[in-house]
């Protein structure tokens, strides 16, 4: 397959080229800081932002992608499911 955009610069507004499933954890950081998070099942999403602050996003919707730079998705306080890191 030819990737006609391979030579283009990646930035935060470009579509993410990589993704990984997230298992929420109160102790383990993600392998990479995210560009966005996809949520498969609705609920609450508690994250640690890159600046170290923690916040709970309440009632995130299933099938939605949220632009956020986080280094951890916390287990305590997260009820959303099917969470995917995009970077």
């Amino acid at each position: 397959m030819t990737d006609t955009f391979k030579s283009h610069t990646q930035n935060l507004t470009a579509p993410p080229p990589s993704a990984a499933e997230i298992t929420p954890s109160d102790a383990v950081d993600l392998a990479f800081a995210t560009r966005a998070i996809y949520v498969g099942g609705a609920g609450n999403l508690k994250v640690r932002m890159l600046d170290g602050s923690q916040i709970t996003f309440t009632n995130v919707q299933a099938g939605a992608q949220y632009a956020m730079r986080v280094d951890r998705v916390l287990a305590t306080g997260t009820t959303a499911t099917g969470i995917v890191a995009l970077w």
Side-chain angles (χ1 to χ4, degrees), residues 31-70:
F32 299 94
T34 64
R35 293 167 67 176
I37 290 181
Y38 170 83
V39 176
N44 295 338
L45 183 67
K46 186 168 184 179
V47 299
R48 185 175 71 188
M49 305 299 290
L50 288 185
D51 69 359
S53 63
Q54 294 182 11
I55 186 161
T56 302
F57 293 89
T58 58
N59 196 31
V60 294
Q61 299 302 300
Q65 180 176 313
Y66 297 92
M68 60 177 75
R69 305 273 293 145
V70 307

